[in-house]
Amino acid sequence: MRKLVRDRIAEIIRANGDEAVVYRAGPDEYRQRLRDKLAEEVEEFLGAGDDADALEELADVVEVVHALTRDLGYAVEDLERVRSAKAEARGAFAERVVWTG
C-alpha cells in the first residue's frame, strides 16, 4: 500500500518499535497523492459517526488543503484572502440558503 501520510508518521511507527518503510515523493507524484488524500479525507468526513469524529476529519481536510495550497506556490494566507473575498462578494454558507432553480 502506498499512500501519503503525515510527516511524523514514520517517526511514530519507529518509536513504537515497528519498521516504517517510506520514501519521499517527487513533485508530480506528491501533487497527485495530495489530491488522492483530499478525496480520502473528505470521504472519511462524510462517514464520520459523530460531531467529534467529524471535527477530527475536517482538521485533516484542512491540513491537506493547506498542503495543496503551498504545493501550488501560494501561502495559506493567500488562500484565506481569496476565500474571504469570495465570501464578501458572494456570501458564505452561514444562512443555509438552498437554491431551487
Side-chain angles (χ1 to χ4, degrees), residues 73-92:
Y74 297 98
V76 172
E77 294 79 14
D78 296 324
L79 176 64
E80 177 55 24
R81 185 176 29 76
V82 171
R83 186 213 58 80
S84 181
K86 288 183 84 167
E88 178 70 27
R90 299 178 185 172

Side-chain angles (χ1 to χ4, degrees), residues 3-24:
K3 71 177 197 171
L4 189 64
V5 295
R6 288 176 176 267
D7 298 340
R8 295 191 56 226
I9 293 300
E11 173 188 331
I12 292 167
I13 291 170
R14 290 182 189 119
N16 288 330
D18 295 317
E19 182 180 3
V21 179
V22 299
Y23 69 93
R24 189 174 307 271

Side-chain angles (χ1 to χ4, degrees), residues 44-88:
E44 289 176 4
F45 165 73
L46 293 173
D50 59 34
D51 289 353
D53 289 342
L55 184 62
E56 287 284 326
E57 297 306 335
L58 277 178
D60 291 341
V61 170
V62 170
E63 193 66 44
V64 175
V65 167
H66 286 181
L68 280 163
T69 301
R70 290 187 296 272
D71 187 61
L72 291 170
Y74 297 98
V76 172
E77 294 79 14
D78 296 324
L79 176 64
E80 177 55 24
R81 185 176 29 76
V82 171
R83 186 213 58 80
S84 181
K86 288 183 84 167
E88 178 70 27

